[in-house]
């Protein structure tokens, strides 16, 4: 009788253990996040289509893109423009393309990022309203991006605006 109780207890714990392993593996596979929901153009270029990844990249570059946009409009419309207001684009109107750069040394830029803001509303001095599409092309050293000590370095090579393409609609 004691053997039956001991064996049934052992089998019960093995059953509980196997159920625990099965449900743990099932939960892990459902909660995995993937950044690979993008469309490859070729081996080195990718269009980011996943909404979460696109939003993350957009917000990571927001300080630079906002600053570069203000500088562009203040320089482009020099005549009497003292204030530029840029309305944020909707997530569906933002497109991002990332490509790798063949680098020569470890201190150079690793990726090129094209971020396009379609149907962007820009207001100059509170009077002139523009509906624009702006594309900003950045070169980024992804190895240093997000490292706080790199931001304090005056000659850092984290991010650089390469091209600003502006089109009014």
């Amino acid at each position: 009788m004691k053997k039956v109780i001991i064996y049934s207890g052992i089998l019960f714990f093995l059953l509980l253990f196997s159920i625990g392993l099965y449900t743990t593996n099932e939960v892990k596979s459902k909660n995995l996040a993937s950044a690979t929901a993008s469309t490859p153009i070729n081996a080195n270029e990718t269009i980011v289509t996943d909404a979460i990844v696109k939003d993350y990249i957009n917000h990571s570059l927001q300080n630079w893109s906002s600053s570069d946009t203000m500088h562009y409009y203040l320089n482009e419309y020099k005549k009497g423009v003292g204030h530029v207001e840029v309305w944020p684009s909707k997530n569906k109107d933002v497109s991002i393309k990332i490509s790798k750069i063949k680098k020569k040394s470890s201190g150079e830029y690793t990726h090129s990022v094209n971020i396009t803001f379609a149907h962007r509303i820009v207001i100059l001095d509170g009077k002139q309203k523009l509906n624009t599409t702006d594309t900003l092309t950045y070169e980024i050293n992804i190895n240093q991006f997000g490292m706080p000590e790199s931001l304090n370095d005056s000659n850092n090579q984290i991010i650089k605006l390469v091209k600003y393409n502006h089109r009014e609609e």
Side-chain angles (χ1 to χ4, degrees):
M1 181 75 171
K2 285 185 178 182
K3 287 184 179 180
V4 172
I5 294 173
I6 291 174
Y7 287 128
S8 65
I10 291 173
L11 287 174
F12 177 73
F13 284 118
L14 287 174
L15 180 65
L16 283 176
F17 181 73
S18 63
I19 290 172
L21 284 177
Y22 176 76
T23 57
T24 303
N25 286 339
E26 187 177 69
V27 169
K28 284 182 183 176
S29 65
K30 286 182 180 176
N31 292 332
L32 288 177
S34 175
T36 58
S38 0
T39 308
I41 298 170
N42 61 37
N44 290 329
E45 291 185 350
T46 302
I47 295 175
V48 179
T49 56
D50 184 65
I52 295 171
V53 176
K54 186 167 63 167
D55 194 42
Y56 177 76
I57 294 170
N58 183 16
H59 287 297
S60 297
L61 296 175
Q62 190 170 15
N63 287 340
W64 288 281
S65 64
S66 296
S67 175
D68 291 331
T69 297
M70 297 297 173
H71 289 296
Y72 175 81
Y73 283 103
L74 288 173
N75 288 335
E76 187 69 22
Y77 297 93
K78 292 180 185 178
K79 298 178 182 176
V81 175
H83 176 70
V84 176
E85 181 182 347
V86 179
W87 293 4
S89 297
K90 296 176 185 174
N91 286 343
K92 67 177 185 166
D93 293 334
V94 176
S95 62
I96 298 173
K97 181 173 74 170
I98 300 173
S99 58
K100 288 184 180 180
I101 299 173
K102 293 181 183 179
K103 59 182 190 168
K104 297 173 183 122
S105 68
S106 62
E108 293 184 6
Y109 299 103
T110 58
H111 292 79
S112 175
V113 177
N114 288 350
I115 183 165
T116 301
F117 301 100
H119 310 295
R120 199 177 210 190
I121 304 296
V122 178
I123 300 174
L124 305 174
D125 281 337
K127 303 171 193 168
Q128 186 179 359
K129 185 176 179 181
L130 306 173
N131 188 3
T132 68
T133 298
D134 294 333
T135 302
L136 290 79
T137 303
Y138 288 103
E139 287 186 350
I140 297 175
N141 187 340
I142 202 72
N143 299 323
Q144 294 179 353
F145 197 79
M147 296 174 59
E149 58 272 4
S150 298
L151 295 173
N152 296 329
D153 187 10
S154 61
N155 59 357
N156 64 31
Q157 290 186 336
I158 298 172
I159 187 167
K160 173 177 78 170
L161 178 68
V162 179
K163 183 179 177 186
Y164 195 106
N165 187 7
H166 165 76
R167 184 173 41 109
E168 292 183 31
E169 297 176 0

